[in-house]
Amino acid sequence: MIRVVVVDDHKIVRQGIIAYLNTVQSIEIVGEASSGHEAVELVRDLQPDVVLMDLVMENGTGVDATKEIMRFLPDCKIIILTSYYDDEKVFPAIEAGAFSYLLKTASANDIVEAIHKAMNNENVIEPKVASKVISGIQGQSKKPHQQLTKRELEVLLCIGNGMTNQEISDKLYIGIKTVKTHVSNILAKLGVHDRTQAAVYVHRNRLLE
Amino acid sequence: MIRVVVVDDHKIVRQGIIAYLNTVQSIEIVGEASSGHEAVELVRDLQPDVVLMDLVMENGTGVDATKEIMRFLPDCKIIILTSYYDDEKVFPAIEAGAFSYLLKTASANDIVEAIHKAMNNENVIEPKVASKVISGIQGQSKKPHQQLTKRELEVLLCIGNGMTNQEISDKLYIGIKTVKTHVSNILAKLGVHDRTQAAVYVHRNRLLE
DNA sequence: TTTTTTATCCGTCTAAAGTCTGAAATTTTA
DNA sequence: TAAAATTTCAGACTTTAGACGGATAAAAAA
């Protein structure tokens, strides 16, 4: 029996989910919560296998609850069940420790499947969300220059135009020492050894144009 | 009366030209030659205003004759009359001092006109030849890097790849001082101030790829 | 609110880059 | 053959780049 806790601030939603899950033999609903805080306490007491967690709630968000739960019960599989799939929701949730990410457009059967897969350590991610996650991963291994700060990028483009530190200093109205600091940081981030290679980098990656 | 000498190693060509020119009031044929050497001697004696010169002849080329004539009679207008219009013929001829350049496909009237214009210090250049001359002039003001020597171009491409002087020195098996000399010359020829700008130049002009 | 990131700046120091002058050997061109 | 361009290298010198350590204030994120 898979012990499940359902968290959602809308009672009608909880009831719908619970009603269906109770028809599934392998699943046992051991508790329900209507807020993040409530959820944390409930999970601490019940130590469930799975938590179905809404993200947007009135008292305490699902992300905070997820973070908190992972702290004392890291093996608990938290399945996010929400209607949002924008960056601002998805990444923090996954970062917080969510195991799967479902949208409320998912069928009841999808939820059951996700619970079963969670017990087999299989993640489930909605297609719409998956693309976000992928681009998020790409964000991790993004091109060197994309991890530059705005100012550093400005300086880099100047280098790409063949400007000297002094010229950059004059153009951006900052001290030459500051320019040097930026240049050093840029070289480190790009993984090159001098400004000439940085300039080559700019052109090879078509950063100008 | 415009005093003209006709130079061509084919008697039939000379006769044809002379026959027509004799019908022109303002023109007087004062002599004819069948080789470059002969032409030089004839011109030295007769001091004509105009020389109609073939380029390809058996004894002594028209280019050499032209050069020689310009040495002792620089005001003499030498009109090249030939069937060739390739680079190897055109440039040496003009460089030697030819005043106009006609093709043998020109009409008799074109020749007369060229002679008259020559007396008014107007050059005549066949359209087909003109394009060569233009690109020749462009050759004078060709892209900076095209006036680099082979070695300098090698070094420049290394710079375009972000290499340091030491690395270039190692790669080309030459001293670092030599590299510096090349770099300085390159910077001067390209009109840039440092190697970074040189690298930018390389990429802007797509010298690599 | 506390912490982290960002943008700014200083001084010192070393290595690299670049200039200038001069020069010798080789190759190319006239 | 003579003249010009190319390639090579040297010494002395100046300037620029870049590394390293440290520091501060503002902005953004946790």
Side-chain angles (χ1 to χ4, degrees):
Chain A
M1 291 290 273
I2 305 170
R3 304 175 68 245
V4 176
V5 162
V6 177
V7 184
D8 199 305
D9 61 344
H10 299 296
K11 189 175 184 183
I12 186 70
V13 175
R14 292 203 303 278
Q15 285 182 323
I17 295 171
I18 292 169
Y20 184 79
L21 293 183
N22 272 332
T23 67
V24 179
Q25 298 293 323
S26 57
I27 294 176
E28 180 190 10
I29 305 297
V30 295
E32 53 183 297
S34 62
S35 75
H37 299 307
E38 203 178 321
V40 172
E41 295 313 311
L42 202 62
V43 170
R44 199 192 304 275
D45 287 350
L46 302 176
Q47 309 263 318
D49 302 305
V50 172
V51 175
L52 282 180
M53 176 85 74
D54 189 15
L55 275 185
V56 182
M57 293 178 290
E58 285 183 353
N59 291 319
T61 72
V63 171
D64 293 331
T66 301
K67 246 184 253 179
E68 188 63 20
I69 290 170
M70 292 315 289
R71 201 167 295 163
F72 62 78
L73 195 65
D75 287 338
C76 182
K77 311 300 186 192
I78 297 177
I79 298 175
I80 302 297
L81 187 58
T82 184
S83 19
Y84 305 92
Y85 53 94
D86 48 298
D87 291 17
E88 289 69 30
K89 296 285 182 299
V90 176
F91 295 125
I94 292 175
E95 196 174 8
F99 192 80
S100 288
Y101 199 104
L102 296 180
L103 294 181
K104 283 189 175 167
T105 55
S107 71
N109 202 55
D110 288 339
I111 297 175
V112 174
E113 202 176 301
I115 293 174
H116 285 143
K117 286 192 174 176
M119 296 316 290
N120 287 323
N121 259 296
E122 291 177 55
N123 305 87
V124 175
I125 298 174
E126 283 278 333
K128 279 185 180 176
V129 179
S131 62
K132 299 282 179 182
V133 174
I134 288 172
S135 62
I137 292 170
Q138 292 175 336
Q140 300 267 316
S141 63
K142 55 187 158 191
K143 289 244 168 168
H145 67 265
Q146 290 179 313
Q147 68 193 45
L148 294 181
T149 66
K150 277 186 184 178
R151 202 52 154 173
E152 287 168 347
L153 186 59
E154 274 189 280
V155 174
L156 177 60
L157 295 185
C158 287
I159 293 174
N161 277 318
M163 293 170 74
T164 64
N165 288 336
Q166 185 59 59
E167 288 169 336
I168 296 171
S169 159
D170 293 341
K171 185 187 179 191
L172 301 182
Y173 301 108
I174 56 179
I176 195 172
K177 297 289 179 63
T178 306
V179 177
K180 284 191 175 191
T181 301
H182 287 316
V183 171
S184 283
N185 292 333
I186 290 167
L187 298 184
K189 287 184 180 178
L190 296 188
V192 298
H193 295 96
D194 54 52
R195 67 171 44 230
T196 305
Q197 291 187 350
V200 171
Y201 179 98
V202 166
H203 290 273
R204 292 228 163 111
N205 292 87
R206 312 214 188 304
L207 263 45
L208 290 170
E209 294 163 33
Chain B
M1 291 290 275
I2 305 169
R3 305 176 68 248
V4 177
V5 163
V6 178
V7 184
D8 198 305
D9 61 344
H10 298 295
K11 189 174 185 183
I12 186 70
V13 175
R14 291 203 305 276
Q15 286 182 325
I17 296 170
I18 292 169
Y20 185 79
L21 293 184
N22 272 332
T23 68
V24 179
Q25 300 294 322
S26 57
I27 293 175
E28 179 188 10
I29 306 297
V30 296
E32 54 182 298
S34 61
S35 76
H37 299 307
E38 203 178 321
V40 173
E41 294 314 309
L42 201 62
V43 170
R44 200 191 303 274
D45 286 351
L46 303 175
Q47 309 263 317
D49 302 305
V50 173
V51 176
L52 283 180
M53 175 86 74
D54 189 16
L55 275 185
V56 183
M57 294 179 289
E58 285 184 352
N59 291 319
T61 71
V63 172
D64 293 331
T66 300
K67 246 183 254 180
E68 186 64 20
I69 291 169
M70 291 316 289
R71 202 167 295 162
F72 62 79
L73 195 65
D75 288 337
C76 182
K77 312 299 185 190
I78 297 178
I79 299 174
I80 302 296
L81 187 59
T82 183
S83 23
Y84 306 92
Y85 53 94
D86 48 298
D87 291 17
E88 288 71 28
K89 296 284 182 301
V90 176
F91 295 124
I94 292 176
E95 196 174 9
F99 192 80
S100 288
Y101 198 105
L102 296 180
L103 294 180
K104 282 189 176 169
T105 54
S107 70
N109 202 55
D110 288 338
I111 297 175
V112 173
E113 201 175 299
I115 293 174
H116 285 143
K117 285 192 173 176
M119 296 315 291
N120 287 322
N121 259 296
E122 291 177 56
N123 305 86
V124 175
I125 298 175
E126 283 279 333
K128 278 185 181 176
V129 178
S131 63
K132 299 282 180 182
V133 174
I134 288 172
S135 62
I137 293 170
Q138 291 175 336
Q140 301 266 316
S141 63
K142 55 187 156 193
K143 287 238 168 174
H145 67 264
Q146 291 178 313
Q147 69 193 45
L148 294 181
T149 66
K150 277 186 185 177
R151 203 53 155 173
E152 288 167 347
L153 186 58
E154 274 189 280
V155 173
L156 176 60
L157 295 186
C158 288
I159 293 174
N161 278 317
M163 295 171 73
T164 64
N165 288 336
Q166 186 59 60
E167 288 169 337
I168 296 171
S169 159
D170 293 342
K171 186 188 178 191
L172 301 183
Y173 302 107
I174 55 180
I176 195 171
K177 297 289 180 63
T178 306
V179 177
K180 284 192 176 191
T181 301
H182 286 317
V183 172
S184 282
N185 291 334
I186 290 166
L187 298 183
K189 287 184 180 178
L190 295 187
V192 298
H193 295 94
D194 54 52
R195 67 172 43 229
T196 304
Q197 291 188 350
V200 171
Y201 180 98
V202 166
H203 290 273
R204 292 229 163 110
N205 292 87
R206 312 213 190 300
L207 265 44
L208 290 169
E209 294 164 31

